[in-house]
Amino acid sequence: MTDKHSFKPRDWGSHPAYLSPDYKSTALRSPTKPLVPLAQSLSEITGPLYGHDSVGPLDADLTRNGATAGEPLGERIIVTGRVLDEEGRALPNTLIEVWQANAAGRYVHAADQHDAPLDPNFFGGGRCATNAEGWYAFKTIKPGAYPWGNHLNAWRPNHIHFSLFGPSFATRLITQMYFPGDPLLDLDPIFLATPEAARGRLVADFSLEATEPGVALGYRFDIVLRGRNETPMEN
């Protein structure tokens, strides 16, 4: 926050356009008239407060929170990073919710009819909260790619969904994290809808420091909720 009463305007040049023709469903849900900006008021600069009390003992370990009779299948990974405000300052006690497909590229959701196996030991959802320095971490299984019907032979890159409120409704963010070196990135209309200069902010970096020896590879994904270098909204 610039002060305790207001936020700087969003950098809309970092976010995908509401209408992206190659991403076909945007034609059905994008606004048809110009948006009307609203002045910031108490309802925008305040919001729901979440923190460590909102996180259960296994919420940050997706390799365990859905297990019923064994270990989930797939490559174990650890995702970590910092959540920052528009001035680059750490945001402590920020709740992060994540959800994803399993290693075969399938979600635990009735609407997902992809012909890939469900994993009885993987739920695919979790949450964690940042510490006093803005750091978060969770353990999971690397998600698989899956077909999504946008166009002929369309496949989504491996990705994890993130949802954050931050300190107020004005810092609300829903986004996706991708993995470095994924060949599907250059073919994905959702990823390509983000302005080129900001796309790299959606791709995690491999982190040997976050890697747990003999257990899981580590990835770092920093999140900036507003302002300079803000993380693009992607949903």
Side-chain angles (χ1 to χ4, degrees):
M1 293 176 63
T2 56
D3 57 49
K4 64 181 179 179
H5 300 295
S6 65
F7 292 91
K8 293 178 180 177
R10 280 199 179 275
D11 176 15
W12 290 110
S14 296
H15 301 291
Y18 288 107
L19 177 60
S20 299
D22 289 338
Y23 180 8
K24 293 183 178 179
S25 67
T26 63
L28 302 175
R29 53 188 168 87
S30 61
T32 58
K33 297 181 179 179
L35 300 183
V36 178
L38 298 176
Q40 292 180 13
S41 64
L42 188 63
S43 61
E44 285 75 47
I45 62 175
T46 58
L49 296 178
Y50 303 104
H52 292 275
D53 291 342
S54 303
V55 179
L58 295 181
D59 282 352
D61 190 347
L62 281 67
T63 69
R64 298 174 61 201
N65 67 12
T68 58
E71 299 290 329
L73 299 175
E75 176 188 340
R76 287 167 175 76
I77 62 173
I78 295 168
V79 179
T80 187
R82 298 183 78 202
V83 178
L84 307 171
D85 70 8
E86 58 186 0
E87 300 295 340
R89 297 173 298 207
L91 287 173
N93 298 315
T94 296
L95 182 70
I96 302 171
E97 297 178 296
V98 297
W99 66 98
Q100 62 170 89
N102 65 20
R106 188 166 177 186
Y107 290 92
V108 181
H109 194 285
D112 189 345
Q113 297 299 308
H114 175 30
D115 185 19
L118 289 170
D119 188 336
N121 295 303
F122 188 73
F123 173 70
R127 60 179 63 185
C128 56
T130 58
N131 65 14
E133 288 76 43
W135 285 94
Y136 73 89
F138 62 91
K139 184 182 290 185
T140 188
I141 298 295
K142 188 174 182 179
Y146 57 83
W148 64 299
N150 183 76
H151 55 277
L152 180 64
N153 208 13
W155 290 77
R156 292 292 341 270
N158 306 334
H159 63 278
I160 298 175
H161 297 268
F162 282 68
S163 172
L164 303 90
F165 273 104
S168 76
F169 284 107
T171 55
R172 180 77 167 109
L173 176 68
I174 299 176
T175 193
Q176 298 180 33
M177 184 202 89
Y178 298 97
F179 292 84
D182 191 329
L184 291 173
L185 290 176
D186 290 338
L187 303 172
D188 183 55
I190 298 181
F191 177 72
L192 296 178
T194 298
E196 185 175 4
R199 286 176 201 158
R201 303 174 203 169
L202 296 171
V203 182
D205 293 316
F206 170 72
S207 173
L208 188 62
E209 183 179 0
T211 295
E212 187 174 337
V215 177
L217 294 180
Y219 292 90
R220 179 167 176 175
F221 184 59
D222 292 341
I223 301 168
V224 181
L225 295 185
R226 288 181 66 100
R228 299 185 302 274
N229 299 315
E230 64 184 83
T231 302
M233 293 190 184
E234 204 185 61
N235 186 28

